[in-house]
Amino acid sequence: MGRGTFRAHYSGTYKNDSCKGRGLWQFRGSGKGLFIKSSTEQGYITEQKAGIYCNKTTGQATLTNARGDSITMLLNGYHIGLVGPCQADGSNGGLIEYKVTGGTGRFVNARGHGRLRFRCSVGIKEPYTDRWRGTFSY
């Protein structure tokens, strides 16, 4: 069992289907973090209009290490702009909060919370990087 500060970073590619009216932003990448070590990341974010320039985001992400142990998070937040949780310069990517809801293997009883921030170029299918910061226990 472990507990402490959770930090992770990933890079990969995202796919933005927002222009098709679905408000769906899917991402998949690889990286590493405390507790989870070298791992993959995959998830999605859906968008709902919450104002003239503001969108509410909800979604889910799963981090999985080489042994198959995974951590699952729910995502909630807001972002400014019309291009998903990223802006061209990464400055208005918005703040996404996450809550760890469980996992598999050694992380089956995982809990925690924190913040997730994306940096990426604007487009339909583009590279991204992200940074997870928060607390974690399992």
Side-chain angles (χ1 to χ4, degrees):
M1 191 156 168
R3 144 183 242 128
T5 300
F6 180 74
R7 294 180 184 269
H9 61 276
Y10 293 86
S11 60
T13 303
Y14 76 85
K15 181 180 176 187
N16 181 359
D17 286 339
S18 295
C19 293
K20 296 179 182 175
R22 290 189 281 233
L24 182 62
W25 200 86
Q26 297 171 304
F27 56 98
R28 181 183 299 253
S30 61
K32 62 174 101 173
L34 296 175
F35 304 104
I36 190 85
K37 308 210 184 219
S38 291
S39 49
T40 59
E41 161 189 77
Q42 69 178 36
Y44 68 89
I45 295 171
T46 58
E47 303 172 314
Q48 271 187 323
K49 198 81 161 146
I52 296 173
Y53 297 110
C54 191
N55 293 309
K56 181 176 181 358
T57 56
T58 58
Q60 184 174 330
T62 302
L63 312 179
T64 307
N65 66 19
R67 292 178 36 187
D69 303 320
S70 67
I71 303 169
T72 302
M73 289 97 154
L74 292 179
L75 309 175
N76 287 289
Y78 289 89
H79 68 271
I80 299 169
L82 306 172
V83 293
C86 290
Q87 294 289 355
D89 65 359
S91 63
N92 290 327
L95 179 64
I96 299 174
E97 296 183 345
Y98 70 85
K99 178 180 178 182
V100 178
T101 58
T104 63
R106 68 188 274 213
F107 303 121
V108 72
N109 295 314
R111 293 291 177 257
H113 60 90
R115 294 179 175 171
L116 167 64
R117 185 170 300 272
F118 287 94
R119 285 191 173 272
C120 56
S121 300
V122 177
I124 302 300
K125 190 172 184 181
E126 298 288 340
Y128 76 90
T129 61
D130 66 22
R131 190 177 73 219
W132 300 78
R133 301 287 185 263
T135 62
F136 186 70
S137 65
Y138 68 99

